[in-house]
Amino acid sequence: MVSSIEFSYKTFSRASPSSRTKLDIRELGIQFGCVRLIPFVKKGLSLYKDRFLASLPSSKQASADFTRPVFTAVVFYLCAKKHKLKIDKVRLIEVCGTSESEFSCVSTSMKDLCHDVFEISSEKKDPKEVKGNRELPDVLPEKRKFDDGGYLSDEGPEPFLVILSL
């Protein structure tokens, strides 16, 4: 089985010359309306570079090329997801000039190496654990009890109405 690190390394050498143009993080932030992500993207990309290079044998470290726009685009996308911002993934892939499969591969590699930075919680919360306002009485009369101030026709006396004349 090929690990995501090995597969990601193979994508370095297969890049077409047109995809080697530099993608500016600030331009992405402005274009997608997420300027506040810029420092997070810079930090994430730097951390990924360090961890990726540390995972490679020293003979392959010199040939690693992080200038390809796919790396910047994937970090940008993962930071946006972490901060719960909506980014058009298809448009981002077009902007960086890569394929969806390469984008996915690099994304998997980044999630594996930097899970602490790009950790995206996708767990559904148990409704019983979510605290709501439990002090409010249920509005359905069949769920109300005598202690709540309500009566059911078969549980006790019907409330009576007093009409006062003026």
Side-chain angles (χ1 to χ4, degrees), residues 21-162:
T21 60
K22 185 162 172 54
L23 188 62
D24 187 33
I25 296 170
R26 266 190 295 213
E27 286 178 18
L28 280 179
I30 293 168
Q31 189 171 0
F32 287 91
C34 303
V35 178
R36 68 184 182 132
L37 287 180
I38 293 171
F40 300 107
V41 174
K42 287 180 180 179
K43 180 184 174 193
L45 188 57
S46 173
L47 188 63
Y48 176 71
K49 286 177 186 179
D50 294 342
R51 291 182 182 178
F52 187 83
L53 288 173
S55 69
L56 288 177
S58 58
S59 61
K60 292 185 178 183
Q61 286 180 359
S63 64
D65 177 19
F66 294 100
T67 60
R68 294 194 13 249
V70 66
F71 294 103
T72 306
V74 170
V75 172
F76 187 82
Y77 180 74
L78 292 175
C79 285
K81 278 184 73 171
K82 178 168 176 70
H83 291 274
K84 298 179 181 177
L85 300 171
K86 302 250 185 226
I87 297 290
D88 185 358
K89 185 178 175 181
V90 175
R91 189 169 136 223
L92 184 61
I93 291 171
E94 288 174 4
V95 167
C96 74
T98 189
S99 67
E100 191 169 339
S101 62
E102 183 182 22
F103 188 92
S104 178
C105 175
V106 173
S107 176
T108 302
S109 173
M110 284 187 184
K111 287 178 190 175
D112 288 345
L113 287 173
C114 302
H115 57 86
D116 55 329
V117 176
F118 302 121
E119 183 178 332
I120 301 163
S121 63
S122 59
E123 298 175 7
K124 298 275 182 180
K125 294 185 179 178
D126 185 16
K128 293 177 183 174
E129 293 177 6
V130 176
K131 293 184 179 181
N133 193 350
R134 307 242 187 242
E135 296 172 5
L136 294 175
D138 293 323
V139 293
L140 297 174
E142 60 269 8
K143 292 193 175 195
R144 295 181 73 195
K145 298 180 182 173
F146 178 72
D147 295 340
D148 294 334
Y151 291 95
L152 292 177
S153 59
D154 57 345
E155 283 186 358
E158 292 290 326
F160 58 92
L161 181 65
V162 177

Side-chain angles (χ1 to χ4, degrees), residues 6 13 18 81 141:
E6 292 172 10
S13 58
S18 64
K81 278 184 73 171

